[in-house]
Amino acid sequence: ADNLLHSIQLLANVSRLLADKAIASFKVNQGKLSEALARNPILVTALNPIIGYQKAAEIAKQAYREGRPIIDVALENTDLDRARLEVLLDPEKLTAGGL
């Protein structure tokens, strides 16, 4: 029991150090984050009700294969304009629950 309590105390101390010395100083690279998010194939699921699963899957595969943003490939392969695609593929709205 004494060893268990000692181990728990060590873990608690290390957790505080990790938070103070490492996690608190993390800086988000917004450009890289936005770039990676724009290429994430999961975004096309928002297009399924509008263009169908098959077409959305083709867009996701092409975007992944070419390393391009989903919105650019969708713009080329659908009749939807950029403004509509920006609304449909907005990650913030997609993660907030509902469109």
Side-chain angles (χ1 to χ4, degrees):
D2 183 56
N3 286 341
L4 177 63
L5 291 174
H6 183 67
S7 295
I8 291 171
Q9 185 62 48
L10 283 173
L11 185 59
N13 291 341
V14 169
S15 297
R16 277 189 224 103
L17 272 173
L18 177 65
D20 294 343
K21 302 286 184 186
I23 296 172
S25 64
F26 281 176
K27 302 240 183 309
V28 175
N29 185 334
Q30 192 63 42
K32 285 278 191 188
L33 182 64
S34 296
E35 182 182 320
L37 187 55
R39 290 191 327 260
N40 191 325
I42 197 68
L43 290 176
V44 298
T45 58
L47 300 178
N48 285 352
I50 296 156
I51 63 173
Y53 175 83
Q54 189 65 37
K55 187 71 171 173
E58 290 170 11
I59 289 170
K61 289 176 186 177
Q62 180 182 347
Y64 180 77
R65 187 174 52 249
E66 297 174 2
R68 296 174 53 210
I70 297 294
I71 194 167
D72 292 345
V73 177
L75 191 59
E76 294 172 1
N77 292 289
T78 67
D79 295 332
L80 300 170
D81 62 23
R82 181 168 282 278
R84 179 75 172 135
L85 285 169
E86 286 174 354
V87 169
L88 291 169
L89 299 174
D90 180 3
E92 190 172 339
K93 286 184 180 178
L94 291 172
T95 56
L99 288 176

